[in-house]
Amino acid sequence: EPLVRTFTPLYFAVEPRDVLAARGAAVLLNCSAHGESPPRIEWRKDGTLLNLESDDRRQLLPDGSLLISAVVHSKHNKPDEGFYQCVATVDSLGTIVSRTAKLTVAGK
């Protein structure tokens, strides 16, 4: 039987890239996805979904990008450094996950 590949119209137009951030600076991780209906965008950090509703430093922008208003980084508290992925979901189609972008905080 011939293999039928169904085209799911859910794809990333923009995926996040690795970024070197300065402590206290704002950082933008870009993401934009398209689907037959607008995808729901979420972000994972180190494999765990971020709860952005209750986050005063990180916010989801209308295009799907993640804005970190001020990077926090100290010897004992490194909440922002790590690996980020953008997750786009259309309920009738499924979920796609972006490439992994590494956020590194620059030294002093």
Side-chain angles (χ1 to χ4, degrees):
E1 284 189 15
L3 181 67
V4 179
R5 289 182 188 272
T6 55
F7 172 68
T8 32
L10 175 57
Y11 64 94
F12 287 108
V14 179
E15 296 187 55
R17 294 178 175 275
D18 293 356
V19 62
L20 179 63
R23 201 171 54 179
V27 170
L28 185 64
L29 290 163
N30 291 299
C31 181
S32 178
H34 295 290
E36 51 189 28
S37 57
R40 182 173 73 251
I41 301 291
E42 296 171 294
W43 281 85
R44 282 184 199 156
K45 178 181 180 285
D46 301 328
T48 303
L49 280 175
L50 292 173
N51 177 7
L52 299 172
E53 281 79 41
S54 62
D55 199 318
D56 52 355
R57 290 188 309 108
R58 292 183 277 218
Q59 70 181 80
L60 183 65
L61 300 184
D63 71 346
S65 298
L66 179 69
L67 176 66
I68 304 174
S69 59
V71 168
V72 169
H73 197 78
S74 65
K75 190 173 178 180
H76 301 294
N77 187 26
K78 302 175 182 181
D80 296 327
E81 195 165 69
F83 296 94
Y84 289 80
Q85 289 170 302
C86 179
V87 181
T89 303
V90 173
D91 289 329
S92 58
L93 289 176
T95 298
I96 54 174
V97 180
S98 75
R99 68 179 296 275
T100 301
K102 184 180 184 185
L103 190 154
T104 308
V105 181
K108 292 185 173 61

